[in-house]
Amino acid sequence: MNANLADLLKQVDHAKSRLAGFTPLPRHTASSLREKHHLDWIYHSNALAGNRLSLRETKVVLEGITIGGKSIAEHLEVIRHRDAIYHLEKMARQNRPLDAQGIVELHTILQTGRLSPRTSTTPDQDAKIADLVAQHRPPSGQHPLVDAARWHAHLINQRPFPGENGRLARLLLNHDLAQAGYLPAIIDSDDRQRYDAALARKETTPVTDELAVLIIQACLRTFNLTLGLIAPAAAKPV
């Protein structure tokens, strides 16, 4: 592990501990932060996948308003991504372990906006998904963020579904982070070149420090944004 990665892990763990000191948050504060995290997450993940809606336009679409000059598909990607996050959160509340069914459900919502009771997969897809589940968070002794980065790279390189798998991979990345008590790693669309370069490897190559650094930096940004929003209010006398 290089020194930069080790230092970032210390920073993100310190931010995690600091945020824990402010919990539980007031309900309206927690709700506002959740909406902010969702907006940033949806916008950047969709932008990385080629969606042309701006951050402001994404917010407007989430409010139920149509943007002129943008495709219906781009509008649907926003709504479906939001619904996939909701489903992911529901899975977490139910303490559902991540399994093949959960992966297929999230992919189906991202693609169609709804859950089909008879979603079909090919034998090749079934084999890839089974491998992903088997490889998910094995006991490695690594920091959970490094483990999450490793599996994130494996999922994208595995390509279990036709077409773009990045949004699904970023959903599941943040599932792993949430399970370990971390805020979402929202990979900035401006970091596309770094992100693509870090993922440009053969499937059998271990995750590089560069990808782990990128993911930890993204997670740390979310912590710093959150702390910057709540710390002044939390520090006021009661």
Side-chain angles (χ1 to χ4, degrees), residues 53-132:
L53 290 169
S54 68
L55 178 65
R56 181 179 179 279
E57 288 171 337
T58 300
K59 183 176 187 297
V60 169
V61 171
L62 289 170
E63 293 169 351
I65 301 172
T66 302
I67 305 296
K70 300 295 169 67
S71 70
I72 295 297
E74 287 171 311
H75 286 73
L76 289 175
E77 285 175 351
V78 170
I79 302 303
R80 291 170 179 175
H81 204 306
R82 178 202 62 195
D83 291 347
I85 292 174
Y86 287 170
H87 188 68
L88 193 70
E89 292 175 338
K90 179 181 178 182
M91 290 169 60
R93 289 194 301 272
Q94 295 173 340
N95 293 316
R96 281 183 57 184
L98 186 62
D99 56 11
Q101 181 181 346
I103 292 173
V104 172
E105 287 175 0
L106 289 166
H107 171 72
T108 302
I109 294 171
L110 283 170
Q111 296 300 312
T112 69
R114 58 187 177 84
L115 279 177
S116 170
R118 295 184 179 179
T119 301
S120 60
T121 53
T122 67
D124 181 60
Q125 288 171 346
D126 289 338
K128 288 181 176 181
I129 295 168
D131 175 70
L132 285 167

Side-chain angles (χ1 to χ4, degrees), residues 141-180:
Q142 293 272 16
H143 191 283
L145 268 68
V146 176
D147 271 340
R150 173 198 57 79
W151 196 71
H152 181 68
H154 184 55
L155 192 157
I156 288 182
N157 284 304
Q158 184 76 287
R159 293 179 59 83
F161 300 102
E164 190 269 329
N165 285 256
R167 288 179 301 152
L168 173 66
R170 290 184 287 278
L171 275 170
L172 294 174
L173 168 68
N174 286 331
H175 168 273
D176 283 356
L177 267 58
Q179 293 294 96

